[in-house]
Amino acid sequence: MIQSRFLQVCLGIIAVLLIIFLTSKISFIFKPLFTTVNLLIVPFMLSGFFFYLLRPLVLFFEKQRMHKALSILLIYFVLAGSVVLFFILIWPTLQTQVQNFAESAPELIEDFGVQIDNLQKNRLISMLTPGQSDLSAKLSEYLNMLITAASDYVTRVVGVVTSFVIVVATVPIILYYMLKDGEHIPSSILHLIPRRYRRDGREVLLEIDSALSGFIIGRVIITGLLGVLLYIGYLIIGLPYSLLLALIATVLNIIPYIGPLLGAIPPLIVAFTVSPMMVFWVLVATLIAQQIEDNLLSPQIYGKRLDIHPLTTVILVLVAGGVAGLLGVILAIPAYMVVKIIFARIYNLFLADKVEELVE
């Protein structure tokens, strides 16, 4: 019995590997499909993101007996007004800081080298780093490479965004129909499931919807509040380019666990070009903001809904980033949550009893 079952498993694995091998030989057939998926994934991902953010507003207006289409158009109008206010109130300051930062990059590198030289003159530092007389030159060179790489990356991102303006312009249209007819999507999916499993399928879809909604809304609220806290802290300590650096830290903080560490690097580098004491104050401001986020904001907003171990999150982000880049990092946690919910239900339906029999 055991040998027969083992043989079946081996044959199944061989069949799967054979299918993968044959598929790789006729990959040209699937190339149009992959092209279509690559073209649609970004607008649909953005539409899904804004769907979960704006759906509570649509439901609120619907409870006020406002027509759904009218409520969506009203939300669009408010969003357009918010964008206009951003360009009027915030964009001039942000644009000025970006331009000043780009123009003063050589001076920042020079100031960075000066601070390293001053540290090397300290007896304690010189004892800890013997024979590192060229430490300043090396670190300045690394910083220059980092700034150049970041500039090139930003340039590539801007180029990609510009080349896909037509695709991104489809997001409001897709989002409109998702908000208008979103409640019909689960029914369409359930028709693809055998009748006897539709009840479980409905429960799975509700669980996935709740998990994604809680994660996306919670992440946006927490990230926004952390950005405000960091900006206030940078203003208080007088950090140069405070708005730009707070915005960079806010965007990177979208990445769970790793994001806050990455977001703290640019402010620390800029602070070091000012003085070692400024580095200390940046660390204090960052730690205070992150402690408020971890101990006060996250428990209140997330509660126990985000049941993912930190180590699992780090592994997911690293693997997804290596496979799919920035898009993989963004989608890693939501995709893991969806897959986890589906496989948990499949296990309970088909495998739990068999596993218990084998254990007994």
Side-chain angles (χ1 to χ4, degrees), residues 186-221:
S187 300
S188 302
I189 297 175
L190 289 174
H191 283 301
L192 303 175
I193 301 175
R195 187 178 299 274
R196 60 175 176 170
Y197 297 122
R198 285 182 184 175
R199 179 180 177 184
D200 294 286
R202 187 177 292 105
E203 293 176 356
V204 167
L205 290 176
L206 290 174
E207 193 174 350
I208 290 174
D209 181 71
S210 176
L212 291 179
S213 177
F215 175 77
I216 292 174
I217 295 176
R219 198 71 209 163
V220 169
I221 293 174

Side-chain angles (χ1 to χ4, degrees), residues 111-339:
D111 294 338
F112 188 85
V114 170
Q115 294 295 339
I116 292 294
D117 290 335
N118 292 335
L119 283 179
Q120 284 185 299
K121 294 176 182 178
N122 185 287
R123 291 184 178 181
L124 179 60
I125 300 297
S126 60
M127 290 174 60
L128 293 176
T129 58
Q132 297 293 327
S133 58
D134 60 340
L135 180 62
S136 174
K138 287 184 178 180
L139 290 178
S140 298
E141 182 182 354
Y142 293 149
L143 180 61
N144 191 14
M145 292 171 58
L146 179 63
I147 293 176
T148 303
S151 301
D152 294 340
Y153 183 77
V154 170
T155 303
R156 289 197 300 270
V157 169
V158 171
V160 169
V161 171
T162 304
S163 62
F164 283 99
V165 167
I166 297 177
V167 176
V168 175
T170 61
V171 169
I173 301 173
I174 299 173
L175 177 60
Y176 174 83
Y177 287 104
M178 290 180 69
L179 291 171
K180 185 173 179 293
D181 303 321
E183 68 272 11
H184 302 305
I185 296 176
S187 300
S188 302
I189 297 175
L190 289 174
H191 283 301
L192 303 175
I193 301 175
R195 187 178 299 274
R196 60 175 176 170
Y197 297 122
R198 285 182 184 175
R199 179 180 177 184
D200 294 286
R202 187 177 292 105
E203 293 176 356
V204 167
L205 290 176
L206 290 174
E207 193 174 350
I208 290 174
D209 181 71
S210 176
L212 291 179
S213 177
F215 175 77
I216 292 174
I217 295 176
R219 198 71 209 163
V220 169
I221 293 174
I222 289 174
T223 301
L225 292 176
L226 179 64
V228 172
L229 291 173
L230 289 174
Y231 180 54
I232 294 173
Y234 294 162
L235 284 177
I236 292 174
I237 64 178
L239 180 67
Y241 316 109
S242 54
L243 179 60
L244 175 61
L245 294 173
L247 182 61
I248 292 173
T250 302
V251 172
L252 291 175
N253 192 65
I254 294 176
I255 306 172
Y257 296 102
I258 299 178
L261 297 177
L262 297 176
I265 294 175
L268 289 174
I269 292 176
V270 173
F272 187 74
T273 63
V274 178
S275 68
M277 184 56 66
M278 182 60 74
V279 174
F280 170 76
W281 288 118
V282 168
L283 284 173
V284 171
T286 303
L287 288 174
I288 290 176
Q290 290 183 356
Q291 288 301 312
I292 292 175
E293 177 203 3
D294 293 337
N295 298 315
L296 295 179
L297 300 179
S298 294
Q300 294 297 325
I301 295 173
Y302 279 137
K304 296 183 179 180
R305 288 179 294 182
L306 193 62
D307 186 21
I308 304 177
H309 195 277
L311 181 59
T312 303
T313 303
V314 172
I315 294 174
L316 286 171
V317 170
L318 291 176
V319 173
V323 173
L326 181 61
L327 188 64
V329 170
I330 296 173
L331 296 178
I333 303 303
Y336 171 78
M337 295 169 66
V338 172
V339 172

